[in-house]
Amino acid sequence: MNEEQLILAAQSGDLDAFNRLVITYQGLAYNVAYRLLGDDAGAQDATQEAFISAYRNLRSYKGGSFKAWLLRIVTNGSYDELRRQKRRPQTPLEPEPLDGEDAPDPSWMADPGESPEELAERVELNAAIQRCLNQLEEEFRTAVVLIDVQGMEYGEVAEIVKRPLGTVKSRLARARSRMQECLQGFAELLPDKFRLTGNP
Amino acid sequence: MNASIAPRDFELLSAHLDGQLAPADTQALLALLGAEPHLHEALQRLTQLRSLLRRGPQRRLPRSFMLTPQQAGQRQRSGVAAWSGFNFASAIAALTLIFVLATDFTVNGLPAIPTARSAEPVLMMAEAPQAESYATDSPPSGGAANPADSALFESTPADETSLADEMPTLKEPPAPTLTAWVAYNAPVLEALLASLAVIAGLLAWHHRRR
């Protein structure tokens, strides 16, 4: 069955068909939620809630890009989760790692054949990116996460955020500008090959 | 960072990087890039930034997010059940409230119909015809043609005792009726049902908001 057929079957209550859509999109949905929230537990909650909400509201999907429809639910759910966390801040049981990563074990990033030094570089890079993303306002963060981190097209993002293409371009430019400024603050942490050259 | 670059130029550079400029705009920008070295540097930095962000690793999935039948159905069922329950409670409370108000109006609004306090005399009046039936059953005075018949109607001490036994049953307070009870307790019932309706409505609203 192709995606359209799976959606039709899921709309008529076929949970297996819906779960095949979940398998297709869960990696993207979770990574978007993680980059928007910067927190693994929150990203898991937001992703799970997004899929439950998508299943329950599947009848409101009237065609178009299913990926955009689903990611709209994920981004809205992630910001809801973020606001919930701000209202009820939780103190972690263990101190946060210095590199800002909530996962103490960075093995999830390891590539086969990668040296420990290279892995450490990538962990630092990832932490620096996430810190800078966390400092952006919601609309700018969404633009840079979807386009630069996930490599999506402007048109898809415009559909997700329900804004004109020009607004997406403008937001992305401002987000990139702020990311450049922020990452310069982490220049010492970043490996040489990742340092941004030139004076901003 | 890009203080020396106008925001509009930076936006053009950003869009150009992703191939989102119209051909005419691209030509104009390329000409500008040749003439303005700082714009060219800015474009290089943007290119590095995008490469840096795209190079960032994707997190491995910590678990599967496939829905179980419980997640897909049970949540919905429990929600619907609770919602229906609140709706039902609200409807019952509202109907009962209408019944109580209608009863109250009927009882108090029409003077001919007794209230709870006047129920006893009215019932006593209602018993009067029954007492009269005893009188009509008695022979006309002095009209007893048959002494045997008249003897039948002569009261004996035993008969008086049996009548005396029967009389108290006539004077007993009547059994309370539902209408009288409702009318008597109408203000309390109204307040109770109004509170119930408001609480059920608030719970339904709260449940829907969640």
Side-chain angles (χ1 to χ4, degrees):
Chain A
M1 278 203 282
N2 61 26
E3 185 173 284
E4 202 175 325
Q5 290 168 327
L6 287 174
I7 293 167
L8 282 173
Q11 279 178 326
S12 59
D14 185 344
L15 184 58
D16 289 338
F18 183 77
N19 277 335
R20 287 176 67 182
L21 293 166
V22 172
I23 291 169
T24 306
Y25 290 110
Q26 61 182 355
L28 175 63
Y30 169 73
N31 271 281
V32 167
Y34 177 76
R35 285 305 187 186
L36 294 177
L37 288 165
D39 161 50
D40 176 57
Q44 287 191 44
D45 288 348
T47 307
Q48 190 68 78
E49 286 298 323
F51 281 120
I52 291 171
S53 175
Y55 183 73
R56 290 170 64 176
N57 295 290
L58 206 52
R59 285 180 189 280
S60 70
Y61 168 72
K62 304 289 182 197
S65 166
F66 180 74
K67 179 182 171 186
W69 181 79
L70 181 65
L71 284 182
R72 182 169 171 73
I73 297 175
V74 172
T75 51
N76 287 342
S78 297
Y79 288 125
D80 285 346
E81 175 68 23
L82 203 60
R83 281 185 275 274
R84 207 164 24 240
Q85 286 178 0
K86 280 181 185 167
R87 278 201 303 271
R88 287 176 289 187
Q90 293 170 342
T91 310
L93 294 174
E94 293 173 11
E96 264 187 74
L98 289 177
D99 64 9
E101 274 293 303
D102 55 292
D105 176 15
S107 60
W108 63 270
M109 285 191 209
D111 280 344
E114 193 175 40
S115 70
E117 291 76 19
E118 286 171 327
L119 175 61
E121 278 183 356
R122 294 205 318 131
V123 170
E124 285 183 1
L125 166 66
N126 195 53
I129 290 172
Q130 191 59 53
R131 282 193 180 188
C132 290
L133 284 173
N134 291 349
Q135 290 176 15
L136 295 178
E137 288 95 332
E138 287 181 8
E139 61 269 27
F140 299 140
R141 200 186 312 175
T142 306
V144 83
V145 164
L146 294 177
I147 293 172
D148 279 346
V149 179
Q150 298 299 334
M152 293 177 71
E153 296 295 326
Y154 282 41
E156 281 181 301
V157 177
E159 201 175 332
I160 291 169
V161 298
K162 298 256 186 227
R163 289 286 181 274
L165 208 61
T167 305
V168 173
K169 281 183 193 176
S170 161
R171 284 180 181 179
L172 180 65
R174 292 180 66 182
R176 283 171 167 171
S177 172
R178 293 193 192 180
M179 284 296 285
Q180 274 189 340
E181 284 175 2
C182 177
L183 284 170
Q184 284 304 312
F186 290 97
E188 291 76 23
L189 287 175
L190 295 177
D192 288 343
K193 67 176 178 181
F194 291 127
R195 283 187 194 164
L196 300 171
T197 56
N199 294 321
Chain B
M1 97 151 205
N2 305 297
S4 59
I5 302 172
R8 172 68 188 150
D9 287 344
F10 193 82
E11 200 174 310
L12 285 174
L13 288 176
S14 174
H16 171 67
L17 183 66
D18 298 320
Q20 293 290 325
L21 280 187
D25 290 337
T26 305
Q27 289 302 318
L29 183 66
L30 287 176
L32 203 59
L33 283 171
E36 303 277 353
H38 73 286
L39 279 183
H40 190 74
E41 282 176 18
L43 182 61
Q44 279 186 325
R45 287 198 301 272
L46 263 180
T47 309
Q48 282 179 308
L49 174 73
R50 193 180 66 167
S51 158
L52 191 70
L53 294 174
R54 294 224 168 138
R55 212 185 273 238
Q58 294 290 302
R59 280 184 79 94
R60 196 179 296 160
L61 270 180
R63 63 185 172 88
S64 167
F65 293 100
M66 286 196 296
L67 303 192
T68 62
Q70 287 74 28
Q71 282 173 319
Q74 202 171 42
R75 286 171 63 100
Q76 209 169 357
R77 268 201 301 276
S78 67
V80 169
W83 179 242
S84 307
F86 291 136
N87 277 343
F88 183 71
S90 297
I92 289 292
L95 286 173
T96 321
L97 183 62
I98 290 167
F99 170 73
V100 170
L101 287 173
T103 310
D104 191 33
F105 174 77
T106 310
V107 170
N108 292 328
L110 301 172
I113 297 178
T115 62
R117 287 183 186 84
S118 61
E120 191 173 341
V122 170
L123 287 171
M124 292 291 282
M125 286 167 66
E127 285 156 6
Q130 196 181 353
E132 279 170 16
S133 69
Y134 280 98
T136 51
D137 286 343
S138 64
S141 56
N146 187 348
D149 287 343
S150 99
L152 281 175
F153 291 103
E154 276 177 16
S155 61
T156 62
D159 289 335
E160 280 175 9
T161 309
S162 68
L163 276 175
D165 288 340
E166 286 175 20
M167 289 307 284
T169 61
L170 295 175
K171 289 181 180 175
E172 271 178 2
T177 62
L178 177 64
T179 310
W181 184 85
V182 168
Y184 185 76
N185 294 297
V188 179
L189 281 175
E190 282 166 18
L192 191 68
L193 290 167
S195 306
L196 182 62
V198 168
I199 289 169
L202 285 174
L203 283 172
W205 174 75
H206 175 70
H207 176 76
R208 190 167 197 173
R209 235 180 132 227
R210 272 197 313 145

